[in-house]
Amino acid sequence: MSEKNYTLKEAMLYSQRIAQLAKALWKAVEKDWQLWIKPYDLNINEHHILWISYHLKGASISDVAKFGVMHVSTAFNFSKKLEERGLLTFSKRDDDKRNTYVELTPQGESLLLDMIANYHDTPHSVIEGSLPIKELYGRFPDFMEVMAVIRNIYGEDFMEIFEHSFKNIDQRFDQVEEKLNLQKMPLE
Amino acid sequence: MSEKNYTLKEAMLYSQRIAQLAKALWKAVEKDWQLWIKPYDLNINEHHILWISYHLKGASISDVAKFGVMHVSTAFNFSKKLEERGLLTFSKRDDDKRNTYVELTPQGESLLLDMIANYHDTPHSVIEGSLPIKELYGRFPDFMEVMAVIRNIYGEDFMEIFEHSFKNIDQRFDQVEEKLNLQKMPLE
């Protein structure tokens, strides 16, 4: 065993902390997510692929796999199913013949918009559980420590897609709101 | 739809952040965990049950399920398998006839100690990915924001077991080290 910058006890305490927190948080996210997508006959991987394609405005299968934290074969197989349902299209790019790209069809986009419009029809325990922090600090938590750990594990590429998807929501949400005509919601 | 203290755009941005971070973090934890337990012919649920029983020094099946974030039936069924392998025993308590308790057998404890001794035989990407934070702040991150969210979702009981398990590692690790005779490791 090589010299470590931490003791075995520190490793055990920290492993225990991060494993418990990551499992509990993911299980809560997963449950909310499943309830949200249930009426649309999608599983989490399928919805995640649609969501990534939407926010990256056309993504390669390998980007979908990387950012969706799924195997490339999983990303490909579920994308195929979404294509068969008319929600996605596959394409090649002239400047990149090796990768397969996926893009939402108008039908796929309208499904996602519908899901956004119905977001509040199901409970979101993670949002509810974060509201006391929002009340205290004026905004939802940003989990900088988790981001730093994930940056170190998954690399800069992952974080770039991560930031890109936020920018996209941020910039395009006015359009989304127009399309949804959600006058009843207290939107900014 | 009822009035919310946040806009739909805020909800989308925050959902996206927490879902991506939780999924990526959990998948990394899960991968490390699987590599660690692979030589012992255990799945994550089984190891989690052993680990919880060890740290709570005898836990009810419902505590195992709650803290392990698994269904009671999952906790029960895997505990049964561990009992058949001689790693756990089931018992009832005189002061609590309704719950079933599980406790590690000496064989179960020695398996866990063996796993702790071999902790560094497999890569732990989450620990490696957290070392820059430890170098910067002098300790591993404690993820207070995640803890606050989890406290709100899972309640005070969950956090009590969480804290209890740390206290146990903290207090009993000297014994563990003695048992392991890990003189080569840079232990405190």
Side-chain angles (χ1 to χ4, degrees), chain B residues 1 9 19-20 24 31 47 51 62 89 95 106 135 142 149 151 153-154:
Chain B
M1 288 179 212
K9 180 176 177 177
Q20 280 296 141
K31 197 172 170 188
H47 181 250
W51 193 249
S62 72
T89 51
D95 60 343
E135 275 150 33
D142 47 19
V149 174
R151 179 185 299 273
I153 297 173
Y154 290 92

Side-chain angles (χ1 to χ4, degrees), chain A residues 9 14-18 20 23-24 26 48 51 67-68 119 126 129-130 143 145 147 152 154 165 170, chain B residues 9 14-18 20 23-24 26 48 51 67-68 119 126 129-130 143 145 147 152 154 165 170:
Chain A
K9 180 175 177 176
Y14 182 61
S15 284
Q16 156 87 350
R17 176 180 294 271
I18 200 163
Q20 280 296 141
K23 189 177 188 184
W26 169 243
H48 206 176
W51 194 249
F67 194 53
Y119 185 76
V126 170
S130 307
F143 305 112
E145 288 175 332
M147 280 180 67
N152 290 328
Y154 291 92
S165 70
D170 205 35
Chain B
K9 180 176 177 177
Y14 182 61
S15 283
Q16 156 87 349
R17 175 179 295 272
I18 200 164
Q20 280 296 141
K23 188 175 188 186
W26 169 242
H48 207 177
W51 193 249
F67 195 51
Y119 185 77
V126 170
S130 307
F143 305 112
E145 288 175 331
M147 281 180 67
N152 289 329
Y154 290 92
S165 70
D170 203 36

Side-chain angles (χ1 to χ4, degrees), chain A residues 4-71:
Chain A
K4 299 278 179 191
N5 299 332
Y6 51 92
T7 65
L8 188 55
K9 180 175 177 176
E10 281 178 315
M12 285 300 131
L13 284 166
Y14 182 61
S15 284
Q16 156 87 350
R17 176 180 294 271
I18 200 163
Q20 280 296 141
L21 293 179
K23 189 177 188 184
L25 189 63
W26 169 243
K27 294 288 172 190
V29 164
E30 193 181 34
K31 197 172 169 185
D32 290 351
W33 202 341
Q34 271 162 349
L35 288 173
W36 183 31
I37 66 182
K38 205 178 168 187
Y40 302 90
D41 189 26
L42 293 168
N43 63 39
I44 285 183
N45 281 323
E46 289 167 342
H47 182 250
H48 206 176
I49 292 168
L50 293 177
W51 194 249
I52 293 167
S53 315
Y54 179 62
H55 287 299
L56 299 187
K57 299 177 203 168
S60 69
I61 293 282
S62 73
D63 279 348
V64 168
K66 182 183 289 172
F67 194 53
V69 202
M70 50 182 98
H71 285 284

Side-chain angles (χ1 to χ4, degrees), chain B residues 86-141:
Chain B
L87 300 170
L88 267 190
T89 51
F90 282 69
S91 62
K92 292 276 181 189
R93 288 191 181 166
D94 285 343
D95 60 343
D96 177 9
K97 296 278 185 199
R98 293 189 314 163
N99 282 306
T100 302
Y101 286 79
V102 286
E103 207 156 344
L104 283 193
T105 61
Q107 196 187 334
E109 191 177 334
S110 106
L111 180 78
L112 281 193
L113 290 177
D114 201 31
M115 292 181 67
I116 294 172
N118 296 326
Y119 185 77
H120 290 303
D121 290 356
T122 53
H124 294 275
S125 67
V126 170
I127 299 240
E128 294 300 317
S130 307
L131 283 179
I133 300 179
K134 186 174 189 291
E135 275 150 33
L136 194 59
Y137 296 107
R139 59 189 179 81
F140 283 111

Side-chain angles (χ1 to χ4, degrees), chain B residues 72-87:
Chain B
V72 174
S73 61
T74 307
F76 185 79
N77 292 335
F78 283 117
S79 296
K80 265 284 169 215
K81 291 197 176 173
L82 293 166
E83 190 203 23
E84 285 158 20
R85 284 173 66 177
L87 300 170

